[in-house]
Amino acid sequence: MTVPTPRLPRLLIAAECFSDAQSAFRLVRPLQELFSAQLSGLLSSHEFAEYAVTAGQQIVSATGSFVDIPSPRHAHGIAAGEARAFRRALAEVADKDTRDWTFRSLSGELISEVCGLAAPEDVVLLGRRPICRSEGRVLLIGSDTSRRQSARALAERMALALMTAVREIEVRRGGNDVLRTVDRSHAALVVADFREGPLKKESELRALFEAARCPVVILGASEIRSSNDPGAAAEQGKE
């Protein structure tokens, strides 16, 4: 009888654009030193799809000047170029350790796609280009359960790689207070445990990603409830 090969957990690297993904690729090696995983890349082209809908209007560029929003054809070309760059960088990272890898480019919103794709054993790395040039600390949003040690070990290893320290956020204050603390902090990386921590909903992950302004490592992404989940809605009504 053939014994099935155990499935390796995935390290799912997800971003909205290649420049955001680059901030995540430099964190892959220290994560791989903690656990053996298959690399998987996800590029959400939702932003480029929105460009196509609003073609003919103008937006403010990174330099502060007004530029035309790309036409549907141009937006498609931008998205294709971003995907090629992401695939190339992912292949280079995987090749250093001769690991298998997969990649997909989807048109949905990033957080929704991640929550839909993540398996229970997967670790998610959300890429976000840091706004500040100086490095901050690694923020840890753990739990008060026996599972807290795995999140703590991950945060400490990443802090060592980034040559900084870990700051653990008090989780007993509840999700809203945790999000406010992250928003007021300057972090190099946020490590969040959604398995039994204070944050549980898809909307809270979306808010955390916006507040962090840096890459975010997620444990337990498959357990995050959608905002459309009746259980999540009931909990939100109690807050």
Side-chain angles (χ1 to χ4, degrees):
M1 184 177 73
T2 303
V3 178
T5 303
R7 177 189 180 277
L8 282 176
R10 280 187 306 177
L11 174 56
L12 177 58
I13 307 164
E16 293 177 321
C17 62
F18 178 61
S19 60
D20 282 346
Q22 285 180 299
S23 69
F25 285 131
R26 70 189 183 105
L27 303 174
V28 170
R29 181 59 63 84
L31 282 171
Q32 288 180 322
E33 292 176 358
L34 284 171
F35 61 96
S36 181
Q38 179 190 40
L39 294 182
S40 182
L42 169 64
L43 177 66
S44 167
S45 57
H46 180 69
E47 180 180 351
F48 300 111
E50 288 184 344
Y51 283 166
V53 172
T54 56
Q57 301 181 31
Q58 287 190 320
I59 56 174
V60 179
S61 71
T63 61
S65 59
F66 284 97
V67 296
D68 290 333
I69 292 178
S71 66
R73 182 176 180 180
H74 190 194
H76 178 76
I78 294 173
E82 294 278 310
R84 285 193 299 270
F86 197 129
R87 284 177 62 94
R88 188 161 49 245
L90 182 63
E92 290 175 357
V93 171
D95 187 57
K96 291 178 181 178
D97 295 307
T98 61
R99 293 174 185 264
D100 293 333
W101 59 276
T102 61
F103 171 78
R104 64 178 70 188
S105 178
L106 301 175
S107 59
E109 188 268 335
L110 179 67
I111 301 302
S112 296
E113 295 285 10
V114 164
C115 293
L117 288 172
E121 63 272 23
D122 292 345
V123 174
V124 174
L125 174 55
L126 298 175
R128 170 61 61 85
R129 181 175 51 186
I131 293 178
C132 299
R133 292 185 178 181
S134 59
E135 294 285 8
R137 295 186 179 185
V138 172
L139 297 184
L140 171 60
I141 306 170
S143 67
D144 289 328
T145 69
S146 58
R147 285 176 158 183
R148 67 180 301 177
Q149 293 303 322
S150 59
R152 179 77 194 185
L154 192 154
E156 289 178 345
R157 178 62 189 88
M158 300 311 295
L160 180 64
L162 294 170
M163 294 184 291
T164 185
V166 175
R167 176 192 173 193
E168 186 165 5
I169 297 177
E170 174 60 56
V171 298
R172 295 179 182 178
R173 295 178 297 175
N176 289 334
D177 282 345
V178 167
L179 291 172
R180 280 194 289 267
T181 301
V182 173
D183 187 50
R184 292 194 298 263
S185 303
H186 169 41
L189 175 70
V190 174
V191 176
D193 190 345
F194 274 74
R195 294 171 298 183
E196 295 179 39
L199 306 179
K200 296 178 174 63
K201 300 190 290 288
E202 184 179 306
S203 58
E204 291 175 322
L205 173 54
R206 193 171 288 108
L208 173 65
F209 189 46
E210 290 300 318
R213 299 182 292 275
C214 67
V216 178
V217 175
I218 304 297
L219 300 177
S222 66
E223 299 182 27
I224 297 174
R225 290 196 294 274
S226 166
S227 301
N228 297 323
D229 188 317
E235 277 196 16
Q236 191 169 12
K238 295 178 184 178
E239 294 179 355

